[in-house]
């Protein structure tokens, strides 16, 4: 675990040395070259921020007994990062750079807004599609319900006919049995 932290420390040292060197060169440059260097330093500072976040996560996962020592090292790295950012801001006295950075942020914000709008449109299209599916399902359920009602009426009619047929068979059987009994009775009586 601590070996990962030490690897991060080495990366931190390399990055901060590179940033310090580049910050020192900013006032000596002008135009596009200066803009590119400022952008590069900004990117490197972001890398350092991400590195510090990784180190912070690493420290949180360490056993409690060794956490204190690494926490104090991490704190000093964060202070060093703050100093680097202040130095960087101090070297950006030219309003043009500030305006360019603001412009980039606005462009990024606009891009995010456009992407958000596209996502919103996709969600609305999906919701519309889902609504149509639900409507079709509801229509199918209504049809099924109507068909079940018809089937129930048909079955009730069939059951009624079966009961009528059984009663008719029972009555016919009784008449035939009565006829046989009377025939036998009159036959014996005649003899």
């Amino acid at each position: 675990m601590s070996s990962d932290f030490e690897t991060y420390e080495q990366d931190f040292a390399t990055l901060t040395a590179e940033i310090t060197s580049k910050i020192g060169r900013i006032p000596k440059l002008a135009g596009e070259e200066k803009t590119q260097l400022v952008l590069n330093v900004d990117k490197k500072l972001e890398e350092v921020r991400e590195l510090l976040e990784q180190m912070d996560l690493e420290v949180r996962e360490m056993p409690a007994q060794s956490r204190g020592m690494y926490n104090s090292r991490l704190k000093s790295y964060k202070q060093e990062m703050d100093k680097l950012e202040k130095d960087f801001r101090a070297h950006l006295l030219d309003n043009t750079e500030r305006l360019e950075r603001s412009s980039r942020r606005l462009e990024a914000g606009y891009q995010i807004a456009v992407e958000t709008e596209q996502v919103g449109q996709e969600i609305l299209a999906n919701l519309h599609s889902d609504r149509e599916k639900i409507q079709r399902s509801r229509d199918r359920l209504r049809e099924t319900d109507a068909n079940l009602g018809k089937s129930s009426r048909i079955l009730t009619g069939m059951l009624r006919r079966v009961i009528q047929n059984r009663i008719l068979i029972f009555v016919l059987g009784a008449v035939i049995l009565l006829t046989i009994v009377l025939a036998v009775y009159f036959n014996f009586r005649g003899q």
Side-chain angles (χ1 to χ4, degrees):
M1 185 86 66
S2 63
S3 63
D4 285 347
F5 189 87
E6 281 150 14
T7 304
Y8 292 143
E9 284 180 307
Q10 290 168 4
D11 292 344
F12 180 83
T14 306
L15 274 169
T16 51
E18 189 180 339
I19 290 168
T20 305
S21 162
K22 288 181 177 182
I23 288 174
R25 287 176 41 215
I26 289 174
K28 299 169 190 155
L29 299 173
E32 184 62 29
E33 199 176 357
K34 185 174 185 176
T35 304
Q36 288 304 314
L37 188 61
V38 167
L39 287 173
N40 188 271
V41 171
D42 220 7
K43 184 181 169 193
K44 294 289 179 192
L45 285 169
E46 187 58 40
E47 286 178 34
V48 174
R49 280 186 213 100
E50 288 172 10
L51 193 59
L52 286 171
E53 286 175 12
Q54 289 296 321
M55 291 166 91
D56 193 28
L57 289 172
E58 200 73 30
V59 169
R60 288 175 197 216
E61 292 177 7
M62 287 181 180
Q65 62 269 20
S66 55
R67 202 177 296 153
M69 176 183 73
Y70 285 101
N71 253 333
S72 61
R73 281 158 71 176
L74 180 60
K75 188 177 177 185
S76 71
Y77 294 136
K78 286 180 178 177
Q79 288 169 347
E80 193 175 336
M81 173 65 182
D82 289 343
K83 184 183 176 303
L84 271 177
E85 285 183 318
K86 283 174 188 163
D87 286 352
F88 181 53
R89 279 193 292 268
H91 283 82
L92 289 177
L93 297 174
D94 188 354
N95 282 336
T96 309
E97 271 77 36
R98 287 191 195 132
L99 286 172
E100 285 175 4
R101 286 174 69 198
S102 297
S103 174
R104 284 194 302 276
R105 285 194 197 108
L106 282 171
E107 285 173 19
Y110 175 74
Q111 186 61 38
I112 289 168
V114 167
E115 289 169 8
T116 305
E117 184 183 5
Q118 288 171 347
V119 168
Q121 287 173 346
E122 287 173 21
I123 289 170
L124 283 173
N126 289 340
L127 286 173
H128 182 71
S129 168
D130 291 346
R131 184 173 179 266
E132 287 177 348
K133 287 177 190 169
I134 290 169
Q135 191 63 45
R136 284 195 296 270
S137 298
R138 192 178 293 152
D139 292 344
R140 275 191 231 114
L141 277 173
R142 284 188 187 130
E143 282 178 35
T144 305
D145 191 40
N147 289 340
L148 283 172
K150 287 178 189 173
S151 300
S152 176
R153 286 193 294 277
I154 291 168
L155 283 173
T156 304
M158 288 170 71
L159 187 62
R160 200 176 295 127
R161 277 190 225 101
V162 166
I163 291 170
Q164 287 172 349
N165 288 344
R166 284 191 180 167
I167 291 171
L168 188 62
I169 288 170
F170 179 74
V171 169
L172 282 173
V175 168
I176 291 171
L177 186 65
L178 184 65
T179 307
I180 292 171
V181 168
L182 286 174
V184 169
Y185 172 75
F186 286 119
N187 194 15
F188 278 120
R189 200 169 166 203
Q191 290 176 0

